[in-house]
Amino acid sequence: MPPTKQQPAVPLAEQKAIILREGRRVTSYDVALVAGVSQSAVSRCFKPGASFSKATYARVMKAAESLEYIPNAAARSLITRRTNVIAIVVSHSSLLYDPAALSELSQQLNRRGKRALLFTMQHEGEIESILTDVWQFQVDGVIAASRLSEAHVAEFKRRKVPLVVFNRHLRDIEVNTVLCDQYEASRALVTRLAAAGHRQFALIGGPEQNSVAIERLRGALDRIEELGLPPAPVFHGRFDYNSGVAGLHELIARIGAVPDAVICGNDPMAMGCVDAARQHLHIDVPSQMSVVGCDAVEGSNWLSYELTTLRQPLHRMAVATADLICKLIEAEGFMEPEKRVFAAQFVEGETARLTAPRATLAA
Amino acid sequence: MPPTKQQPAVPLAEQKAIILREGRRVTSYDVALVAGVSQSAVSRCFKPGASFSKATYARVMKAAESLEYIPNAAARSLITRRTNVIAIVVSHSSLLYDPAALSELSQQLNRRGKRALLFTMQHEGEIESILTDVWQFQVDGVIAASRLSEAHVAEFKRRKVPLVVFNRHLRDIEVNTVLCDQYEASRALVTRLAAAGHRQFALIGGPEQNSVAIERLRGALDRIEELGLPPAPVFHGRFDYNSGVAGLHELIARIGAVPDAVICGNDPMAMGCVDAARQHLHIDVPSQMSVVGCDAVEGSNWLSYELTTLRQPLHRMAVATADLICKLIEAEGFMEPEKRVFAAQFVEGETARLTAPRATLAA
DNA sequence: TTGTAAGCGTTATCAC
DNA sequence: GTGATAACGCTTACAA
């Protein structure tokens, strides 16, 4: 066996004492001293795919473990220009009303070795200060589930920070997007309900600025007009249960009669609408009035509701989003904006009448 | 006016061209060149409380803005040893079943100038790899809403990373904690229900390893025994709606009769229990059987349920958690572990009978 | 108040 | 395969 050439190793206990005394963190330099190798050798051992001998690796790992050494991500990212952090920008309400989306996104990023830096905003105005922080943290990319102006999108481009817009419709802006085709889903829904004999529609939409809410409304209104049905009144809610309750009362007052079908911008509003109908107004759902929600959230399929709704393929959308952001990071700017559109899946449920009523035929 | 002494400023356009050509990021050095000052002057202008003249500040800010300069957080944290990032470790299920907690925490951190790095875990086993990442990212502190072993807590201490455990009961471990007194709340609940004449209790608990679930069960079981009531059977669910449905069926089979009251470990399970009673078994709630949940989640107060439940003061808990973690960061280790305990608030709702039944007196 | 210069803890380059 | 050495972009004494 040839003699192993190596630097004199510093005793572990001694090095530990020094670190403790100076109140320092453990660095790769400390590991190098204990392992009897150079600092760069330590660095290489922590880099997958780098070249080092088995013996060096063993010595380094032993020293690293006994010192509980962990590489410093800040120092690494300073030179690699990669942080392995993806910012997720999400509004307070989407977090509350659809927590599964955030959870899925986080999981998918983790699986790809990325971590999620969470930015929640209560008001649209906070976006400015959030973006400032996003730039500061040098995140590798951003997933935004929030409204973004054209100027904001342009700044992402200038700064070369990959951006994927999740489930928002940014019309006429060239930007990477993963979304569910709300417009088409709404149209198909109206078609189906109309085929079952519904004529007078009423709509409980989401906030007027919300792009998802807008698309859902547009789809329904366009299709209603195309089919020559009576115009549908619109109530703008805030995506919460109470908006559904209030919405139904107001819509009935406006029409002066019970509508055949109420299409709601999301599930909590639809559940509010169902409850208001059944418990306040003693309207039977679905025989007297149909109610449809959107999102198939936790709770929509419970026995008390069994809501008719539209399920977004959240898992697949999260996978697509994570894939896309990773691809963008790899491509380093040399990629055309990509839009990945998913179709919503109809959940029949029990709150909408989906076949023509016999009674009507008899009458 | 005295002549302003300053270094020759480099033209903005020229500097921009250089940056673009070299594909670099904009650094404080670029700003310094354009502003005609030293790099350290630029740094100082971005540090609140540092000393600089008004004139210098103005020149620096003008240059910074025109170059769209933003300080690099990685470089800064390398030297300041502060990242302004707090890790939030949360299990998939708590994110899903109580998204408001995460949202509140994130908001409160933001308000204190901190950002949240989100770690979600689907299985308890993932905690190891998560902690490795936590150390790498040099976060200023960690808020954990998950199970942590004594060894894990010890590692936080060794690495001097502030830790606050959110709403978990780590028995016999010295660790900063913000929680709701589940044990006491459960005891009080049993007391109140017993006073209303309930004798046969049944329990639908959460996962056997979950500390919150354990405390809730313990409190109920202890109090039931103290009051000399018949022993209550326990079903262990997974915190989801279906567990509540399945739980009620099984508990009734075990007792051989309908219990007087079912205490559930959280709201979705309670709602499952209510639905199973009303719709599968045609048991009237609350006249024939009382059902109580826990958490007062979104949906528990909707008309179809109006659940009797225990509300945790989430907002105040989030504020306390954010305050505590910030205090710990400031104290740099010189602080005794602190436990902040909040009391749950009883929500009367409509699924539990809270007064003695007249019928019983007559019989 | 301001500029000079020495770090912070890595990775990357390049001889050997 | 390995060890010097130069970045990375900032903060912070210290001297002027």
Side-chain angles (χ1 to χ4, degrees):
Chain A
M1 207 179 3
T4 2
K5 203 177 80 189
Q6 68 175 89
Q7 313 228 338
V10 171
L12 175 63
E14 195 174 299
Q15 193 62 24
K16 270 192 171 172
I18 292 173
I19 294 165
L20 199 65
R21 170 152 36 84
E22 301 181 353
R24 288 190 299 123
R25 298 173 180 179
V26 179
T27 71
S28 56
Y29 189 69
D30 297 312
V31 177
L33 283 180
V34 172
V37 298
S38 74
Q39 181 273 334
S40 44
V42 175
S43 174
R44 277 193 292 266
C45 287
F46 278 89
K47 181 184 166 156
S51 87
F52 42 73
S53 72
K54 249 195 156 119
T56 303
Y57 182 79
R59 278 212 306 283
V60 166
M61 282 306 153
K62 195 181 155 204
E65 262 167 50
S66 53
L67 285 168
E68 293 197 292
Y69 166 76
I70 301 269
N72 181 323
R76 168 181 294 162
S77 70
L78 199 53
I79 187 125
T80 60
R81 294 151 166 270
R82 284 281 161 84
T83 52
N84 290 325
V85 171
I86 306 287
I88 298 185
V89 182
V90 69
S91 74
H92 182 69
S93 67
S94 27
L95 204 170
L96 271 188
Y97 299 127
D98 204 355
L102 175 61
S103 185
E104 279 284 356
L105 280 174
S106 163
Q107 294 281 334
Q108 290 303 323
L109 290 176
N110 287 184
R111 192 159 300 174
R112 289 162 181 75
K114 315 281 181 199
R115 294 302 185 176
L117 193 61
L118 181 65
F119 294 85
T120 57
M121 55 179 179
Q122 215 134 16
H123 316 289
E124 296 284 348
E126 292 175 53
I127 189 75
E128 295 296 337
S129 78
I130 285 178
L131 286 185
T132 305
D133 268 27
V134 166
W135 312 139
Q136 286 216 14
F137 283 116
Q138 313 279 128
V139 298
D140 290 346
V142 176
I143 296 172
S146 63
R147 233 156 66 81
L148 243 39
S149 70
E150 192 151 5
H152 291 143
V153 173
E155 190 169 4
F156 274 91
K157 203 168 201 171
R158 277 205 305 284
R159 293 191 184 273
K160 294 179 187 147
V161 176
L163 165 69
V164 175
V165 174
F166 183 82
N167 225 0
R168 299 288 142 147
H169 210 97
L170 264 52
R171 314 200 65 187
D172 311 321
I173 301 184
E174 284 277 301
V175 61
N176 298 284
T177 310
V178 171
L179 52 63
C180 197
D181 192 341
Q182 314 289 349
Y183 180 81
E184 194 47 46
S186 270
R187 289 177 58 91
L189 177 62
V190 169
T191 306
R192 180 139 184 197
L193 290 173
H198 298 82
R199 287 189 48 80
Q200 177 65 62
F201 285 81
L203 307 178
I204 299 181
E208 298 194 47
Q209 301 280 29
N210 185 291
S211 81
V212 171
I214 293 168
E215 289 300 302
R216 287 174 184 167
L217 276 183
R218 268 209 322 129
L221 289 171
D222 284 2
R223 189 63 184 143
I224 287 166
E225 196 185 340
E226 278 175 29
L227 292 173
L229 298 171
V234 176
F235 175 89
H236 283 283
R238 283 157 319 187
F239 275 155
D240 63 335
Y241 178 85
N242 289 329
S243 297
V245 174
L248 181 62
H249 285 282
E250 169 151 346
L251 288 169
I252 288 178
R254 257 196 258 169
I255 303 176
V258 175
D260 297 326
V262 183
I263 296 180
C264 303
N266 75 349
D267 284 346
M269 294 199 298
M271 296 193 254
C273 182
V274 168
D275 281 346
R278 289 179 177 158
Q279 313 207 17
H280 289 164
L281 304 163
H282 306 291
I283 298 170
D284 189 72
V285 175
S287 74
Q288 292 178 266
M289 181 180 89
S290 292
V291 178
V292 183
C294 196
D295 287 350
V297 298
E298 171 84 15
S300 66
N301 63 338
W302 295 354
L303 294 169
S304 287
Y305 293 105
E306 302 199 274
L307 199 65
T308 300
T309 185
L310 296 162
R311 170 175 292 123
Q312 306 190 53
L314 221 51
H315 177 74
R316 282 161 54 215
M317 287 167 70
V319 170
T321 305
D323 281 344
L324 186 50
I325 198 86
C326 289
K327 223 170 79 182
L328 286 164
I329 293 167
E330 295 308 315
E332 294 184 335
F334 303 107
M335 241 182 84
E336 290 302 306
E338 205 170 283
K339 278 206 195 324
R340 303 196 52 178
V341 180
F342 290 80
Q345 176 193 346
F346 188 70
V347 179
E348 296 207 351
E350 301 283 350
T351 59
R353 183 173 51 73
L354 299 173
T355 50
R358 280 172 185 266
T360 304
L361 297 176
Chain B
M1 210 184 350
T4 2
K5 203 177 81 189
Q6 68 175 89
Q7 313 227 340
V10 171
L12 175 64
E14 196 174 298
Q15 193 62 24
K16 270 193 171 172
I18 293 173
I19 294 164
L20 199 66
R21 170 151 35 84
E22 300 180 354
R24 289 188 299 123
R25 298 174 180 179
V26 178
T27 72
S28 56
Y29 189 69
D30 297 313
V31 177
L33 283 180
V34 171
V37 298
S38 74
Q39 182 271 333
S40 54
V42 175
S43 174
R44 278 193 292 263
C45 287
F46 278 89
K47 182 185 168 158
S51 89
F52 42 74
S53 71
K54 245 189 157 123
T56 304
Y57 182 79
R59 278 214 304 284
V60 166
M61 283 306 152
K62 194 180 155 204
E65 261 167 50
S66 54
L67 286 167
E68 294 197 293
Y69 165 77
I70 302 269
N72 181 324
R76 167 182 293 160
S77 70
L78 199 52
I79 187 131
T80 60
R81 295 150 166 271
R82 284 280 160 84
T83 52
N84 290 325
V85 171
I86 307 287
I88 297 185
V89 182
V90 69
S91 74
H92 181 70
S93 68
S94 27
L95 203 170
L96 269 189
Y97 297 128
D98 204 354
L102 175 61
S103 185
E104 279 283 358
L105 280 174
S106 163
Q107 295 280 335
Q108 290 302 325
L109 291 176
N110 286 184
R111 192 159 300 174
R112 289 163 182 74
K114 315 281 182 199
R115 294 301 185 177
L117 193 60
L118 181 65
F119 294 86
T120 56
M121 55 180 180
Q122 215 134 16
H123 316 291
E124 296 283 348
E126 293 175 51
I127 189 75
E128 295 296 337
S129 77
I130 284 177
L131 286 185
T132 306
D133 267 27
V134 166
W135 312 139
Q136 287 215 13
F137 282 116
Q138 313 280 128
V139 297
D140 290 345
V142 176
I143 295 173
S146 62
R147 233 156 64 82
L148 241 40
S149 71
E150 193 152 2
H152 290 143
V153 173
E155 191 169 3
F156 274 92
K157 204 169 201 169
R158 276 205 305 284
R159 293 190 184 273
K160 295 180 185 145
V161 176
L163 166 68
V164 175
V165 174
F166 183 82
N167 225 359
R168 300 286 142 148
H169 210 98
L170 264 54
R171 313 200 65 186
D172 310 322
I173 301 184
E174 282 278 300
V175 60
N176 297 284
T177 311
V178 171
L179 51 62
C180 197
D181 192 341
Q182 313 290 347
Y183 180 80
E184 194 45 47
S186 270
R187 288 178 57 91
L189 177 62
V190 169
T191 306
R192 180 141 186 196
L193 290 173
H198 299 83
R199 286 190 49 80
Q200 177 63 63
F201 284 81
L203 308 178
I204 299 181
E208 298 194 47
Q209 300 281 27
N210 185 291
S211 81
V212 170
I214 291 168
E215 289 300 303
R216 287 174 184 169
L217 276 183
R218 266 208 324 126
L221 289 170
D222 285 2
R223 190 63 185 142
I224 287 167
E225 196 185 339
E226 278 176 28
L227 292 173
L229 297 171
V234 176
F235 174 88
H236 283 284
R238 283 158 319 186
F239 275 154
D240 63 336
Y241 177 86
N242 289 330
S243 298
V245 174
L248 181 64
H249 285 282
E250 169 151 347
L251 288 170
I252 287 178
R254 260 197 256 169
I255 303 176
V258 175
D260 297 324
V262 183
I263 296 179
C264 304
N266 75 348
D267 284 345
M269 294 198 299
M271 295 193 255
C273 182
V274 167
D275 281 346
R278 290 179 177 159
Q279 313 206 17
H280 289 165
L281 304 162
H282 306 291
I283 298 170
D284 188 71
V285 176
S287 73
Q288 291 178 268
M289 181 179 90
S290 292
V291 177
V292 183
C294 197
D295 287 348
V297 299
E298 171 83 17
S300 67
N301 64 338
W302 294 355
L303 294 168
S304 288
Y305 294 105
E306 300 198 278
L307 199 65
T308 300
T309 185
L310 296 162
R311 170 176 293 122
Q312 306 189 52
L314 220 52
H315 178 75
R316 283 161 52 215
M317 288 168 68
V319 170
T321 306
D323 281 344
L324 186 50
I325 197 87
C326 289
K327 222 169 81 183
L328 286 163
I329 293 167
E330 295 309 314
E332 294 185 336
F334 304 108
M335 239 182 86
E336 289 303 305
E338 204 169 284
K339 276 206 196 322
R340 303 196 51 179
V341 180
F342 290 79
Q345 174 194 346
F346 189 70
V347 179
E348 297 207 351
E350 301 283 349
T351 59
R353 183 174 51 72
L354 298 173
T355 50
R358 279 170 183 267
T360 306
L361 297 175

